[in-house]
Amino acid sequence: MTSSPDPGSTATEEASNRRSRPPLVALLGNPNTGKSSVFNRLTGLRQHIANYPGVTVEKKVGTTTLGDGADAMTVRIVDLPGSYSLSATSPDERVVIDVLAAEGGNERPDLLVCVLDATNLKRNLFLASQLAEFDLPLIIVLNQWDVVKRSGARIDIGLLQLRLGVPVVPTVASTGEGIQELRQAIQSALARGPRLKRISWPDPMTEISSMIRKAAEGHGHSLPDPEIQRILFDSHSAVEERLRLPSDASRALVQEAREKLRSRGFNPGSVEAVWHYEHIDRLVDGVIERGTVRTRHATESIDRLLMHKFWGSLILVAIMWVVFQSLYSWASPLMDLIDALTAWLQATVSPWFGGMPILQSLIVDGVIAGVGGVLIFVPQIAILFLFIGILEDTGYMARAAFLMDKLFGWCGLNGKSFIPLLSSYACAIPGIMAARSLEDPKARITTIMMAPLMSCSARLPVYVLMIGAFIEPVYGPWVSGWLLLAMHFVGILVSLPLAWFTNRVLLKTRTLPFLLEMPPYRIPSGRNLFIRTWGGAREFILRAGTVILAFSVVIWALLYFPRDPAVAARERAAFVAGQSIPPKEVEARLADEGSQQSVALLNRIQGAYVEQSYMGRMGKFLQPIFEPAGFDWKISIGVLASFPAREVIIATLGITYNLGSEVNEDSESLREIMAAQKWTSGPRAGTPIFTVPTVIAVMVFFALCLQCGSTLAVIVKELNWKWALAAFFGMTSMAWIASVLIYQIGTRMAA
């Protein structure tokens, strides 16, 4: 006979498991309160990025040690997304509620640390008052205490602590002032469990809450007061599903509850704020004494310039030019150094496996090249995160978002998407990672999906090769320059309508007002900038680097196998027979590895191996699909082989045209042999492959397709596989349609 589990023993087991783990402390607060700076001060470099269960929102998690000696304890700290209130209308936005209520696989915190802007105490206490409903131990942190003191204002900390019923710790997170006191307060609060005084709800609210609770209990679910409040007060509440009622019954219940509240003279959309602020007014009465010094005078003076329609926009363009140039010029020497070190390591390691060609190629061309392909992005990512940190910590990021909001507002985004998208012109990878700065999860998804369409630097070699070989000789440098510039705008012109479609149709984002608090200007903290820069580079290496390396090895295998020795023998025999000198003399020259004949034969064999490789066979198999765009099988192989990185197509074309992999976009030999290529079969037999329509079709294809395994890997890590595959197949299909239309229409117009 099987016995049923004892609920009491289950609860005891859960409590035991909870005690075996370090306590979990959750940091909460409004945006721009310095919450992340407090997190950095508490955890230092002992932090990492993770995702909340079931949503795309990221979380920063770290550890810290409190106390000394026998009293020392390790504490886990999670930095929850900044929010002005607990109102949530989507699964991503309800992350804070899920954590506080331990829903959806989240662990319930042992302590809440609510970080407030000490200069806006009353408004910031609104979130703290809502948090009190969860009946969790809580500490109040009054950050930016130095600004309060400079203003001449006075906050009676002792009286405030007495009124709130919880510890209140003043801090200056940028300098570390008060952090040690905060550590002590956390350790003490974990032992004592202080609760913030809760609002006294009027009778109508108590009655209506009881009605909703009983309906949930009727379906076997106990609904706590904070979630009932969210269902009642939030239009299109994200937690309404927790009633566990049929959708029609759920809507009817909520509608009935809201109507009852209206019948008592209360508006469900505004009454929560009224009640909470009445409660807050009583708590802070006599606590705050306003200063006479106008601390925001300097901020307002600077804003008159930086937020001016003309001068502010001009300054923004100049700042973005500096950021953009830095990703090119500052990162280039470091990227070149990494490239040189990779080449040196390949040359050094290659002789170690001289008798094992497969293992030699795997290590040299697969693993080492793959690791180099990961590390080469690190300088750009580090520099970008450094600049984003500077712009955010100084307070300028909010001003830039305000200036750019009108440009992006019509397609459902706001000005904060500008920085990630601009950064993607250098490389989509740091641009995608920069989208972490967007608080709105749906805006973050749309921005990430737009980023690969920006014309990154990896596309430039393709443009230079095609324009230099086929446009400039016919139309001259003036037309070529304008065409090169135009290619950089193809992606942005396509991405904005797609962003509108993604927001309005796929994500069904409701149009919301762009609310943004302008923080005061501050001097950035060097410690915070270092932690942010280090964290961004570290997360890229650990999270995306492994996937990029795997892509590199897979592409290497597809280009290497099957390695039939008969191919090399056949190409050698054909090469010797095709020379105008006696075979013995040819063989003698081939014995010299540095001779012209030896290099030419090696390139020919490499080209033959690529042609018969799995990748080459895929290129020939897919040629009928790409043929309507004017691509022959060699271009098709180049498209497939360039998946690890778009610029790889240059080396792949060099190999397939028997010129070797050392060619670049400026190689005259590559340009000449491409210009001489002709169709060998079909209705176009004998005609040039690379016509002007073909060239433009190739460039547009590369401008629109997601032909970058590294970018795809980062999308997987930042979002998930579904969004990554949607981006890959969606952009590839769009690129194919555009290139086919360009080639077919252009060919007919030229006929």
Side-chain angles (χ1 to χ4, degrees), residues 66-285:
L66 305 176
D68 298 312
D71 295 330
M73 62 184 303
T74 299
V75 173
R76 293 172 296 151
I77 301 179
V78 57
D79 185 9
L80 295 180
S83 55
Y84 292 104
S85 74
L86 296 182
S87 178
T89 58
S90 74
D92 282 339
E93 293 170 342
R94 74 181 188 200
V95 159
V96 174
I97 301 174
D98 286 345
V99 172
L100 296 174
E103 291 281 351
N106 288 285
E107 181 182 349
R108 187 178 176 88
D110 297 283
L111 174 68
L112 306 181
V113 176
C114 189
V115 182
L116 278 56
D117 178 355
T119 64
N120 289 293
L121 179 59
K122 182 178 175 180
R123 179 177 56 75
N124 279 227
L125 275 171
F126 178 75
L127 175 62
S129 184
Q130 287 184 314
L131 295 175
E133 298 299 312
F134 284 91
D135 195 32
L136 288 168
L138 188 142
I139 291 176
I140 295 293
V141 174
L142 296 184
N143 196 35
Q144 301 172 31
W145 190 247
D146 55 334
V147 180
V148 174
K149 290 190 291 187
R150 284 199 304 268
S151 71
R154 179 179 174 274
I155 298 177
D156 190 333
I157 298 294
L159 180 58
L160 185 60
Q161 286 187 141
L162 182 63
R163 295 269 183 84
L164 298 179
V166 298
V168 177
V169 183
T171 63
V172 184
S174 59
T175 64
E177 181 183 338
I179 297 299
Q180 185 57 39
E181 290 78 5
L182 176 58
R183 291 176 176 275
Q184 295 170 358
I186 291 174
Q187 187 171 16
S188 176
L190 285 169
R192 296 189 299 106
R195 261 67 171 179
L196 185 67
K197 289 185 179 178
R198 299 172 61 179
I199 190 173
S200 297
W201 295 100
D203 291 340
M205 180 61 192
T206 304
E207 294 170 9
I208 294 169
S209 296
S210 178
M211 180 186 76
I212 297 175
R213 185 182 301 104
K214 287 179 180 178
E217 290 172 349
H219 285 74
H221 179 50
S222 178
L223 206 61
D225 286 343
E227 296 186 32
I228 292 175
Q229 293 162 19
R230 300 277 52 85
I231 292 171
L232 182 60
F233 294 136
D234 298 344
S235 179
H236 307 287
S237 172
V239 299
E240 187 175 316
E241 63 189 48
R242 293 183 189 166
L243 286 169
R244 299 185 183 177
L245 298 173
S247 58
D248 291 341
S250 176
R251 283 194 296 270
L253 175 65
V254 174
Q255 183 65 25
E256 180 186 357
R258 292 170 70 90
E259 287 300 327
K260 281 190 174 183
L261 197 59
R262 286 192 185 92
S263 69
R264 302 293 186 93
F266 302 112
N267 182 352
S270 61
V271 71
E272 181 189 22
V274 172
W275 284 335
H276 273 292
Y277 277 116
E278 287 179 353
H279 173 65
I280 293 169
D281 283 339
R282 291 190 292 270
L283 292 176
V284 301
D285 183 36

Side-chain angles (χ1 to χ4, degrees), residues 310-324 396 403-404 418 422:
F310 176 75
W311 295 111
S313 300
L314 196 63
I315 292 171
L316 174 62
V317 170
I319 292 174
M320 291 304 102
W321 180 85
V322 172
V323 175
F324 190 48
Y396 184 76
L403 287 170
M404 297 304 299
F418 176 66
L422 179 72

Side-chain angles (χ1 to χ4, degrees), residues 356-502:
M356 299 173 283
I358 295 179
L359 183 60
Q360 179 189 53
S361 184
L362 170 62
I363 299 298
V364 174
D365 301 324
V367 176
I368 296 178
V371 171
V374 172
L375 297 180
I376 201 166
F377 292 111
V378 172
Q380 286 185 324
I381 290 170
I383 290 172
L384 180 61
F385 271 87
L386 173 64
F387 270 104
I388 289 177
I390 292 172
L391 294 175
E392 286 191 342
D393 287 1
T394 57
Y396 184 76
M397 183 73 86
R399 277 79 181 175
F402 174 80
L403 287 170
M404 297 304 299
D405 183 58
K406 290 185 178 180
L407 177 63
F408 294 102
W410 70 272
C411 61
L413 296 176
N414 61 52
K416 288 190 176 182
S417 296
F418 176 66
I419 302 293
L421 293 180
L422 179 72
S423 305
S424 297
Y425 268 94
C427 178
I429 292 173
I432 290 170
M433 296 183 71
R436 294 176 181 176
S437 62
L438 304 178
E439 294 91 356
D440 184 352
K442 291 183 178 180
R444 179 169 174 261
I445 291 173
T446 305
T447 303
I448 288 175
M449 298 294 278
M450 288 174 65
L453 285 167
M454 303 303 106
S455 192
C456 68
S457 57
R459 293 175 168 104
L460 187 59
V462 181
Y463 301 157
V464 171
L465 173 64
M466 296 298 173
I467 293 175
F470 304 103
I471 303 299
E472 187 173 357
V474 178
Y475 299 98
W478 191 83
V479 172
S480 301
W482 278 105
L483 180 58
L484 181 61
L485 178 64
M487 292 308 304
H488 284 79
F489 285 94
V490 170
I492 190 69
L493 292 176
V494 172
S495 65
L496 290 176
L498 283 178
W500 179 90
F501 177 81
T502 302

